[in-house]
Amino acid sequence: MREVIIALVSSSITIVITSFFNYHFRLRQEIRNESVKYTTEILKNVYTPILKILLSAIVPGDGYDGITKEMLFEIEAIMKRNYELVDPHLHSIIWSLKTEVRREHYEESLRLFDKNKTLLTHVEHHFNFYRKRIGLPFDKTKLTRTIT
């Protein structure tokens, strides 16, 4: 009788411990999956479309001189559609560029903004950072730049 009680108690303890560890690891896996899903959404809906717009402003041989106000408005539209995914630093960069556009009073349509490459550097850095986080190929040189 005593052996049966010991076997039942040890089985119960084993079941409880196994259930605890199973729950703990499943919870961590679920959190990781949600994080990857959220990171993928940020990359797909925010940084990839913005980077495409910025890359269209790069002239082969001349490099990046800046973006036009139309490109800035396209980027702003992307940010408005995905407002909950935009980080505050990107929002402040766009806000400062919009302030610069307002100061120009929309007079020159060919004037270029972001000549100091603040927006381009920020977007390239975060694009590669998020690609690294979800395990996609990324450019290591873009991650080593300091973001100001």
Side-chain angles (χ1 to χ4, degrees), residues 58-75:
I58 297 176
V59 179
D62 288 342
Y64 179 81
D65 292 330
I67 59 172
T68 63
K69 65 182 177 186
E70 288 79 17
M71 291 175 162
L72 180 63
F73 294 147
E74 287 179 45
I75 292 171

Side-chain angles (χ1 to χ4, degrees), residues 62-66 93 113-124 145:
D62 288 342
Y64 179 81
D65 292 330
I93 292 170
F113 301 92
D114 190 41
K115 291 186 180 196
N116 59 359
K117 299 182 182 181
T118 306
L119 178 62
L120 179 65
T121 304
H122 177 85
V123 170
E124 284 181 333
R145 292 184 184 171

Side-chain angles (χ1 to χ4, degrees), residues 68-70 101 104-113:
T68 63
K69 65 182 177 186
E70 288 79 17
V101 167
E104 296 297 321
H105 299 288
Y106 300 105
E107 292 172 4
E108 287 186 53
S109 64
L110 298 178
R111 184 166 179 328
L112 297 176
F113 301 92

Side-chain angles (χ1 to χ4, degrees), residues 21 23 25 49 82 84 87 89 108 115 118-119 129 144:
F21 283 114
Y23 172 77
F25 290 124
N82 303 290
E84 71 281 357
D87 70 280
H89 189 83
E108 287 186 53
K115 291 186 180 196
T118 306
L119 178 62
F129 172 76
T144 57

Side-chain angles (χ1 to χ4, degrees), residues 10-138:
S10 65
S11 297
S12 299
I13 291 173
T14 304
I15 289 171
V16 168
I17 291 173
T18 304
S19 297
F20 172 76
F21 283 114
N22 187 28
Y23 172 77
H24 177 70
F25 290 124
R26 291 254 184 221
L27 185 64
R28 287 184 61 168
Q29 182 181 14
E30 191 173 310
I31 290 170
R32 167 103 172 103
N33 288 342
E34 285 296 316
S35 175
V36 167
K37 180 180 152 192
Y38 182 68
T39 302
T40 304
E41 193 174 342
I42 291 171
L43 182 65
K44 188 173 93 175
N45 294 336
V46 177
Y47 286 103
T48 301
I50 291 175
L51 188 62
K52 285 179 183 179
I53 292 170
L54 293 175
L55 290 179
S56 70
I58 297 176
V59 179
D62 288 342
Y64 179 81
D65 292 330
I67 59 172
T68 63
K69 65 182 177 186
E70 288 79 17
M71 291 175 162
L72 180 63
F73 294 147
E74 287 179 45
I75 292 171
E76 185 182 21
I78 291 168
M79 290 175 54
K80 283 182 181 178
R81 283 193 306 269
N82 303 290
Y83 192 76
E84 71 281 357
L85 302 174
V86 176
D87 70 280
H89 189 83
L90 178 60
H91 185 70
S92 67
I93 292 170
I94 295 299
W95 188 261
S96 66
L97 290 174
K98 279 178 54 179
T99 305
E100 193 177 330
V101 167
R102 282 193 197 111
R103 265 184 282 187
E104 296 297 321
H105 299 288
Y106 300 105
E107 292 172 4
E108 287 186 53
S109 64
L110 298 178
R111 184 166 179 328
L112 297 176
F113 301 92
D114 190 41
K115 291 186 180 196
N116 59 359
K117 299 182 182 181
T118 306
L119 178 62
L120 179 65
T121 304
H122 177 85
V123 170
E124 284 181 333
H125 174 80
H126 281 79
F127 177 79
N128 285 288
F129 172 76
Y130 286 123
R131 287 180 65 91
K132 179 181 178 183
R133 271 184 82 183
I134 60 176
L136 293 174
F138 63 96

